[in-house]
Amino acid sequence: MRSKGPASKRGNPRRTGVFLMYVCLCHGITRQTVVAATLDGASTTKKVAMATSAGADCGRCRRHIQEIIKATRIS
């Protein structure tokens, strides 16, 4: 019998259509977390980093965070 870990609680992503996209691998921050921060008022990568820690370490994700901020403003 297979063990029921955290993945089994969320269901099979292929069936549910729920996929997590990690933006910041240093801190394990997902796109959904960054979008939530921008909706709460974080309008720069620095403010997103203060709210979520995404982009606070190595900075490789800052360009992607900027794209998310722009896309959130447009929607």
Side-chain angles (χ1 to χ4, degrees):
M1 183 171 191
R2 294 175 68 184
S3 66
K4 295 190 178 218
S8 65
K9 291 180 183 177
R10 289 189 300 266
N12 184 343
R14 292 182 184 183
R15 292 183 189 158
T16 61
V18 176
F19 288 94
L20 293 178
M21 179 176 172
Y22 285 92
V23 174
C24 177
L25 297 178
C26 294
H27 294 282
I29 306 299
T30 64
R31 183 180 192 285
Q32 291 86 347
T33 303
V34 174
V35 168
T38 59
L39 293 174
D40 286 341
S43 57
T44 64
T45 56
K46 193 174 214 176
K47 290 179 182 177
V48 169
M50 288 175 19
T52 67
S53 298
D57 277 348
C58 76
R60 286 183 165 211
C61 58
R62 287 187 191 137
R63 188 173 296 148
H64 191 79
I65 293 169
Q66 287 174 339
E67 292 171 6
I68 294 171
I69 292 169
K70 288 178 188 175
T72 305
R73 281 189 214 155
I74 293 170
S75 352

Coordinates of all heavy atoms in Angstrom, one line a residue:
M1 N 0.8 -1.2 0.0 CA 0.0 0.0 0.0 C 0.9 1.2 0.0 O 1.9 1.3 0.7 CB -0.9 0.0 1.2 CG -1.9 1.1 1.3 SD -3.0 0.8 2.6 CE -4.2 2.1 2.2
R2 N 0.5 2.2 -0.8 CA 1.3 3.5 -0.9 C 1.0 4.4 0.3 O -0.1 4.4 0.8 CB 0.9 4.2 -2.1 CG 1.3 3.5 -3.4 CD 0.9 4.2 -4.6 NE 1.6 5.4 -4.8 CZ 1.3 6.3 -5.7 NH1 0.4 6.1 -6.6 NH2 2.0 7.4 -5.8
S3 N 2.1 5.0 0.8 CA 1.9 6.0 1.9 C 1.2 7.2 1.4 O 1.3 7.6 0.3 CB 3.3 6.3 2.5 OG 4.0 7.0 1.6
K4 N 0.5 7.8 2.3 CA -0.3 9.0 2.0 C 0.5 10.2 2.6 O 0.3 10.5 3.7 CB -1.7 8.9 2.5 CG -2.5 7.8 1.9 CD -3.9 7.9 2.3 CE -4.7 6.8 1.6 NZ -6.0 7.2 1.1
G5 N 1.3 10.8 1.7 CA 2.0 12.0 2.1 C 1.3 13.2 1.8 O 0.1 13.2 1.4
P6 N 1.9 14.4 1.9 CA 1.3 15.7 1.6 C 0.8 15.8 0.2 O -0.3 16.4 -0.1 CB 2.4 16.7 1.8 CG 3.5 16.0 2.6 CD 3.3 14.5 2.3
A7 N 1.4 15.1 -0.8 CA 0.9 15.2 -2.2 C -0.4 14.5 -2.3 O -1.3 15.0 -3.1 CB 1.9 14.5 -3.1
S8 N -0.7 13.5 -1.6 CA -2.0 12.8 -1.7 C -3.1 13.7 -1.1 O -4.2 13.5 -1.5 CB -1.9 11.5 -1.0 OG -1.7 11.6 0.4
K9 N -2.8 14.5 -0.2 CA -3.8 15.4 0.4 C -4.2 16.5 -0.6 O -5.4 16.9 -0.7 CB -3.3 16.1 1.6 CG -3.1 15.2 2.8 CD -2.6 15.9 4.0 CE -2.3 14.9 5.1 NZ -1.8 15.5 6.3
R10 N -3.3 16.9 -1.5 CA -3.6 17.9 -2.5 C -4.3 17.3 -3.7 O -4.9 18.0 -4.5 CB -2.4 18.7 -2.9 CG -1.8 19.6 -1.9 CD -0.7 20.4 -2.5 NE 0.4 19.6 -3.0 CZ 1.5 19.2 -2.3 NH1 1.7 19.6 -1.1 NH2 2.4 18.5 -2.9
G11 N -4.1 16.0 -3.9 CA -4.7 15.4 -5.1 C -3.6 15.4 -6.2 O -2.6 16.0 -6.1
N12 N -4.0 14.7 -7.2 CA -3.1 14.6 -8.4 C -3.2 15.9 -9.2 O -4.3 16.2 -9.7 CB -3.5 13.4 -9.2 CG -2.6 13.1 -10.4 OD1 -1.8 14.0 -10.8 ND2 -2.7 11.9 -11.0
P13 N -2.1 16.6 -9.4 CA -2.1 17.9 -10.1 C -2.7 17.7 -11.5 O -3.3 18.6 -12.0 CB -0.7 18.3 -10.2 CG 0.1 17.5 -9.2 CD -0.7 16.3 -8.9
R14 N -2.5 16.6 -12.2 CA -3.0 16.4 -13.5 C -4.5 16.3 -13.5 O -5.2 16.7 -14.5 CB -2.4 15.1 -14.1 CG -0.9 15.3 -14.4 CD -0.4 14.1 -15.1 NE 1.1 14.3 -15.2 CZ 1.9 13.4 -15.8 NH1 1.4 12.3 -16.3 NH2 3.1 13.7 -15.9
R15 N -5.1 15.9 -12.4 CA -6.5 15.8 -12.3 C -7.1 17.1 -11.8 O -8.2 17.5 -12.2 CB -6.9 14.6 -11.4 CG -6.6 13.3 -11.9 CD -7.1 12.2 -11.0 NE -6.6 10.9 -11.5 CZ -6.4 9.9 -10.7 NH1 -6.8 9.9 -9.4 NH2 -6.0 8.7 -11.2
T16 N -6.5 17.7 -10.9 CA -7.1 18.9 -10.3 C -6.7 20.2 -11.0 O -7.4 21.2 -10.8 CB -6.6 19.1 -8.8 OG1 -5.1 19.2 -8.8 CG2 -7.0 17.9 -8.0
G17 N -5.6 20.2 -11.8 CA -5.2 21.4 -12.6 C -4.5 22.3 -11.7 O -4.2 23.5 -12.1
V18 N -4.0 21.9 -10.5 CA -3.3 22.8 -9.6 C -1.8 22.5 -9.7 O -1.4 21.4 -9.4 CB -3.8 22.6 -8.1 CG1 -3.0 23.5 -7.2 CG2 -5.3 22.9 -8.0
F19 N -1.1 23.4 -10.2 CA 0.4 23.3 -10.2 C 1.0 24.5 -9.5 O 0.6 25.6 -9.6 CB 0.9 23.3 -11.7 CG 0.5 22.0 -12.4 CD1 -0.6 22.0 -13.2 CD2 1.4 21.0 -12.3 CE1 -0.9 20.8 -13.8 CE2 1.1 19.8 -13.0 CZ -0.1 19.7 -13.8
L20 N 2.0 24.2 -8.7 CA 2.8 25.3 -8.0 C 4.0 25.7 -8.9 O 4.7 24.9 -9.3 CB 3.3 24.8 -6.7 CG 2.2 24.5 -5.6 CD1 2.9 24.0 -4.4 CD2 1.4 25.7 -5.3
M21 N 4.1 27.0 -9.1 CA 5.3 27.5 -9.8 C 6.1 28.2 -8.8 O 5.7 29.2 -8.3 CB 4.9 28.4 -10.9 CG 6.1 29.0 -11.7 SD 5.5 30.0 -13.0 CE 7.1 30.6 -13.5
Y22 N 7.3 27.7 -8.6 CA 8.2 28.3 -7.7 C 8.9 29.5 -8.3 O 9.5 29.3 -9.4 CB 9.2 27.3 -7.1 CG 8.6 26.4 -6.1 CD1 8.0 25.2 -6.5 CD2 8.5 26.8 -4.8 CE1 7.4 24.4 -5.5 CE2 7.8 26.0 -3.8 CZ 7.3 24.8 -4.2 OH 6.7 24.0 -3.3
V23 N 8.9 30.6 -7.7 CA 9.6 31.8 -8.2 C 10.9 31.9 -7.6 O 11.9 32.2 -8.2 CB 8.7 33.1 -7.9 CG1 9.5 34.3 -8.3 CG2 7.4 33.0 -8.7
C24 N 11.0 31.8 -6.3 CA 12.2 31.9 -5.5 C 12.6 30.5 -4.9 O 11.9 30.0 -4.0 CB 12.1 32.9 -4.4 SG 13.5 33.1 -3.4
L25 N 13.6 29.9 -5.5 CA 14.0 28.6 -5.0 C 14.8 28.7 -3.6 O 14.8 27.8 -2.9 CB 14.9 27.9 -6.0 CG 14.2 27.6 -7.3 CD1 15.1 26.9 -8.3 CD2 13.0 26.7 -7.1
C26 N 15.4 29.9 -3.4 CA 16.2 30.0 -2.1 C 15.2 29.9 -0.9 O 15.6 29.4 0.1 CB 16.8 31.4 -2.1 SG 18.1 31.6 -3.3
H27 N 14.0 30.5 -1.1 CA 13.1 30.5 0.1 C 11.8 29.6 -0.2 O 10.9 29.6 0.7 CB 12.7 31.9 0.4 CG 13.8 32.7 0.9 ND1 14.3 32.6 2.2 CD2 14.6 33.6 0.3 CE1 15.3 33.4 2.4 NE2 15.5 34.0 1.2
G28 N 11.7 29.0 -1.4 CA 10.5 28.2 -1.7 C 9.3 29.0 -1.8 O 8.2 28.6 -1.4
I29 N 9.4 30.2 -2.4 CA 8.2 31.1 -2.6 C 7.6 30.8 -4.0 O 8.2 30.8 -5.0 CB 8.6 32.6 -2.5 CG1 9.4 32.8 -1.2 CG2 7.4 33.5 -2.6 CD1 8.6 32.5 0.1
T30 N 6.2 30.6 -4.0 CA 5.5 30.4 -5.2 C 5.0 31.6 -5.8 O 4.9 32.7 -5.2 CB 4.3 29.4 -4.9 OG1 3.4 30.1 -4.0 CG2 4.8 28.1 -4.3
R31 N 4.6 31.5 -7.1 CA 4.0 32.6 -7.8 C 2.7 33.1 -7.1 O 2.5 34.3 -7.0 CB 3.6 32.2 -9.2 CG 3.1 33.3 -10.1 CD 2.7 32.8 -11.5 NE 2.5 33.9 -12.4 CZ 1.4 34.6 -12.4 NH1 0.4 34.3 -11.5 NH2 1.2 35.6 -13.2
Q32 N 1.9 32.2 -6.5 CA 0.7 32.6 -5.8 C 1.1 33.5 -4.6 O 0.3 34.5 -4.4 CB 0.0 31.4 -5.3 CG -0.7 30.6 -6.5 CD 0.3 29.6 -7.1 OE1 1.5 29.6 -6.8 NE2 -0.3 28.7 -7.9
T33 N 2.1 33.3 -3.9 CA 2.5 34.1 -2.8 C 3.0 35.5 -3.3 O 2.6 36.5 -2.6 CB 3.7 33.4 -2.0 OG1 3.3 32.1 -1.6 CG2 4.1 34.2 -0.8
V34 N 3.7 35.5 -4.4 CA 4.1 36.8 -4.9 C 2.9 37.6 -5.4 O 2.8 38.8 -5.1 CB 5.2 36.7 -6.0 CG1 5.5 38.0 -6.7 CG2 6.4 36.0 -5.5
V35 N 2.0 37.0 -6.1 CA 0.8 37.7 -6.5 C 0.0 38.2 -5.3 O -0.5 39.4 -5.3 CB -0.1 36.7 -7.4 CG1 -1.5 37.3 -7.6 CG2 0.6 36.5 -8.7
A36 N -0.1 37.4 -4.3 CA -0.8 37.9 -3.1 C -0.2 39.1 -2.5 O -0.8 40.0 -2.1 CB -0.9 36.7 -2.1
A37 N 1.2 39.1 -2.5 CA 1.9 40.2 -1.9 C 1.7 41.5 -2.8 O 1.5 42.6 -2.2 CB 3.4 39.9 -1.8
T38 N 1.7 41.3 -4.1 CA 1.4 42.5 -4.9 C 0.0 43.0 -4.8 O -0.2 44.2 -4.8 CB 1.7 42.2 -6.4 OG1 0.9 41.1 -6.8 CG2 3.2 41.8 -6.6
L39 N -1.0 42.1 -4.6 CA -2.3 42.6 -4.4 C -2.5 43.2 -3.0 O -3.4 44.1 -2.9 CB -3.3 41.4 -4.5 CG -3.4 40.7 -5.9 CD1 -4.3 39.5 -5.8 CD2 -4.0 41.8 -6.9
D40 N -1.6 42.9 -2.1 CA -1.6 43.6 -0.8 C -0.8 44.9 -0.8 O -0.7 45.5 0.3 CB -1.1 42.6 0.3 CG -2.1 41.5 0.7 OD1 -3.3 41.7 0.4 OD2 -1.6 40.5 1.2
G41 N -0.3 45.3 -1.9 CA 0.4 46.6 -2.0 C 1.8 46.6 -2.3 O 2.4 47.7 -2.5
A42 N 2.5 45.4 -2.4 CA 3.9 45.4 -2.7 C 4.1 45.7 -4.2 O 3.7 44.9 -5.0 CB 4.5 44.0 -2.4
S43 N 4.6 46.9 -4.5 CA 4.7 47.4 -5.9 C 6.1 47.3 -6.5 O 6.3 47.7 -7.6 CB 4.1 48.8 -6.0 OG 4.8 49.6 -5.1
T44 N 7.1 46.9 -5.7 CA 8.5 46.8 -6.2 C 9.0 45.5 -5.7 O 8.5 44.8 -4.8 CB 9.4 47.9 -5.6 OG1 9.5 47.8 -4.2 CG2 8.8 49.3 -6.0
T45 N 10.2 45.1 -6.4 CA 10.8 43.8 -5.9 C 11.3 43.9 -4.5 O 11.3 42.9 -3.8 CB 12.0 43.5 -6.9 OG1 12.9 44.5 -6.9 CG2 11.5 43.2 -8.3
K46 N 11.7 45.1 -4.1 CA 12.2 45.3 -2.7 C 11.0 45.1 -1.7 O 11.2 44.4 -0.7 CB 12.7 46.7 -2.5 CG 13.5 46.9 -1.3 CD 14.2 48.2 -1.3 CE 15.5 48.2 -0.6 NZ 16.2 49.4 -0.6
K47 N 9.8 45.6 -2.0 CA 8.7 45.4 -1.2 C 8.2 44.0 -1.2 O 7.8 43.5 -0.1 CB 7.5 46.4 -1.6 CG 7.8 47.8 -1.3 CD 6.7 48.7 -1.7 CE 7.1 50.2 -1.5 NZ 6.0 51.1 -2.0
V48 N 8.3 43.3 -2.3 CA 7.9 41.9 -2.4 C 8.9 41.1 -1.5 O 8.5 40.2 -0.8 CB 7.9 41.4 -3.8 CG1 7.8 39.8 -3.9 CG2 6.7 42.0 -4.6
A49 N 10.2 41.4 -1.6 CA 11.2 40.7 -0.7 C 10.9 40.9 0.7 O 11.1 40.0 1.5 CB 12.6 41.2 -1.1
M50 N 10.5 42.1 1.1 CA 10.2 42.4 2.5 C 9.0 41.6 3.0 O 8.9 41.1 4.1 CB 10.0 43.9 2.8 CG 11.3 44.7 2.7 SD 11.2 46.5 2.8 CE 9.7 46.9 3.5
A51 N 8.0 41.5 2.1 CA 6.8 40.8 2.5 C 6.9 39.3 2.4 O 6.2 38.6 3.2 CB 5.6 41.2 1.5
T52 N 7.7 38.7 1.5 CA 7.7 37.3 1.2 C 9.1 36.6 1.4 O 9.2 35.4 1.4 CB 7.2 37.0 -0.2 OG1 8.1 37.5 -1.1 CG2 5.8 37.5 -0.4
S53 N 10.2 37.4 1.3 CA 11.6 36.9 1.3 C 12.0 36.6 -0.1 O 13.2 36.3 -0.4 CB 11.8 35.8 2.2 OG 11.6 36.1 3.5
A54 N 11.1 36.6 -1.1 CA 11.4 36.2 -2.5 C 12.3 37.3 -3.0 O 12.0 38.5 -3.0 CB 10.2 36.1 -3.3
G55 N 13.5 37.0 -3.5 CA 14.4 37.9 -4.1 C 15.4 38.6 -3.1 O 16.1 39.4 -3.5
A56 N 15.3 38.1 -1.9 CA 16.1 38.7 -0.8 C 17.5 38.2 -0.8 O 18.4 38.8 -0.2 CB 15.4 38.6 0.5
D57 N 17.7 37.0 -1.3 CA 19.1 36.4 -1.2 C 19.9 36.6 -2.5 O 20.5 37.6 -2.7 CB 19.0 34.9 -0.9 CG 18.8 34.6 0.6 OD1 19.0 35.5 1.4 OD2 18.5 33.5 0.9
C58 N 19.9 35.6 -3.4 CA 20.7 35.7 -4.6 C 20.2 36.6 -5.6 O 21.0 37.1 -6.4 CB 20.9 34.3 -5.2 SG 19.5 33.7 -6.1
G59 N 18.9 36.9 -5.7 CA 18.4 37.9 -6.6 C 18.1 37.3 -8.0 O 17.6 38.1 -8.9
R60 N 18.3 36.1 -8.3 CA 18.0 35.5 -9.6 C 16.5 35.6 -10.0 O 16.2 35.7 -11.2 CB 18.4 34.1 -9.7 CG 19.9 33.9 -9.8 CD 20.3 32.5 -9.9 NE 21.6 32.4 -10.4 CZ 22.1 31.4 -11.1 NH1 21.3 30.4 -11.5 NH2 23.4 31.4 -11.5
C61 N 15.7 35.7 -9.0 CA 14.2 35.7 -9.3 C 13.6 37.1 -9.5 O 12.5 37.2 -9.8 CB 13.5 34.9 -8.2 SG 13.7 35.6 -6.6
R62 N 14.4 38.1 -9.2 CA 13.9 39.5 -9.3 C 13.3 39.9 -10.6 O 12.3 40.5 -10.6 CB 15.0 40.5 -8.9 CG 15.3 40.4 -7.4 CD 16.3 41.5 -7.0 NE 16.7 41.2 -5.6 CZ 18.0 41.4 -5.2 NH1 18.9 41.8 -6.1 NH2 18.3 41.1 -4.0
R63 N 13.9 39.4 -11.7 CA 13.3 39.8 -13.0 C 11.9 39.1 -13.1 O 11.0 39.8 -13.7 CB 14.3 39.3 -14.1 CG 13.8 39.8 -15.5 CD 14.8 39.5 -16.5 NE 16.1 40.2 -16.3 CZ 17.3 39.7 -16.6 NH1 17.4 38.6 -17.2 NH2 18.3 40.4 -16.3
H64 N 11.8 37.9 -12.7 CA 10.5 37.2 -12.8 C 9.5 37.9 -11.8 O 8.3 38.1 -12.2 CB 10.6 35.8 -12.4 CG 9.4 35.0 -12.8 ND1 9.1 34.6 -14.0 CD2 8.4 34.6 -12.0 CE1 8.0 33.9 -14.0 NE2 7.5 33.9 -12.7
I65 N 9.9 38.3 -10.7 CA 9.1 39.1 -9.8 C 8.6 40.4 -10.4 O 7.4 40.7 -10.3 CB 9.8 39.3 -8.4 CG1 10.0 38.0 -7.7 CG2 9.0 40.3 -7.5 CD1 10.9 38.1 -6.5
Q66 N 9.5 41.1 -11.1 CA 9.1 42.3 -11.8 C 8.0 42.0 -12.8 O 7.0 42.8 -13.0 CB 10.3 42.9 -12.5 CG 11.2 43.6 -11.6 CD 12.5 44.1 -12.3 OE1 12.8 43.6 -13.4 NE2 13.2 45.0 -11.7
E67 N 8.1 40.9 -13.6 CA 7.1 40.5 -14.5 C 5.7 40.2 -13.9 O 4.7 40.6 -14.4 CB 7.5 39.3 -15.3 CG 8.7 39.5 -16.2 CD 9.3 38.3 -16.8 OE1 8.7 37.2 -16.6 OE2 10.3 38.4 -17.5
I68 N 5.8 39.6 -12.7 CA 4.5 39.3 -12.0 C 3.9 40.6 -11.5 O 2.7 40.7 -11.6 CB 4.8 38.3 -10.8 CG1 5.3 36.9 -11.3 CG2 3.6 38.2 -9.9 CD1 5.8 36.0 -10.3
I69 N 4.7 41.5 -11.0 CA 4.2 42.8 -10.5 C 3.5 43.5 -11.7 O 2.4 44.0 -11.5 CB 5.3 43.7 -9.9 CG1 5.8 43.1 -8.6 CG2 4.8 45.1 -9.7 CD1 7.1 43.7 -8.1
K70 N 4.1 43.6 -12.9 CA 3.5 44.2 -14.0 C 2.2 43.5 -14.4 O 1.3 44.2 -14.7 CB 4.5 44.2 -15.2 CG 5.7 45.2 -15.0 CD 6.6 45.1 -16.2 CE 7.9 45.9 -15.9 NZ 8.9 45.7 -17.0
A71 N 2.2 42.2 -14.5 CA 1.1 41.5 -14.9 C -0.1 41.7 -13.9 O -1.3 41.7 -14.3 CB 1.4 40.0 -15.0
T72 N 0.2 41.8 -12.6 CA -0.8 42.0 -11.6 C -1.4 43.4 -11.7 O -2.6 43.6 -11.6 CB -0.2 41.8 -10.2 OG1 0.4 40.5 -10.2 CG2 -1.3 41.8 -9.1
R73 N -0.6 44.4 -12.1 CA -1.1 45.7 -12.3 C -2.1 45.8 -13.5 O -3.1 46.5 -13.4 CB 0.0 46.7 -12.5 CG 0.8 47.1 -11.3 CD 1.7 48.2 -11.6 NE 2.9 48.1 -10.8 CZ 4.1 48.6 -11.2 NH1 4.2 49.3 -12.3 NH2 5.1 48.4 -10.3
I74 N -1.8 45.1 -14.5 CA -2.6 45.1 -15.7 C -3.9 44.4 -15.5 O -4.9 44.9 -16.0 CB -1.8 44.4 -16.9 CG1 -0.6 45.2 -17.3 CG2 -2.7 44.2 -18.1 CD1 0.4 44.5 -18.2
S75 N -3.9 43.3 -14.7 CA -5.2 42.6 -14.6 C -6.2 43.3 -13.7 O -6.2 44.1 -13.1 CB -5.0 41.2 -14.0 OG -3.8 40.8 -13.8

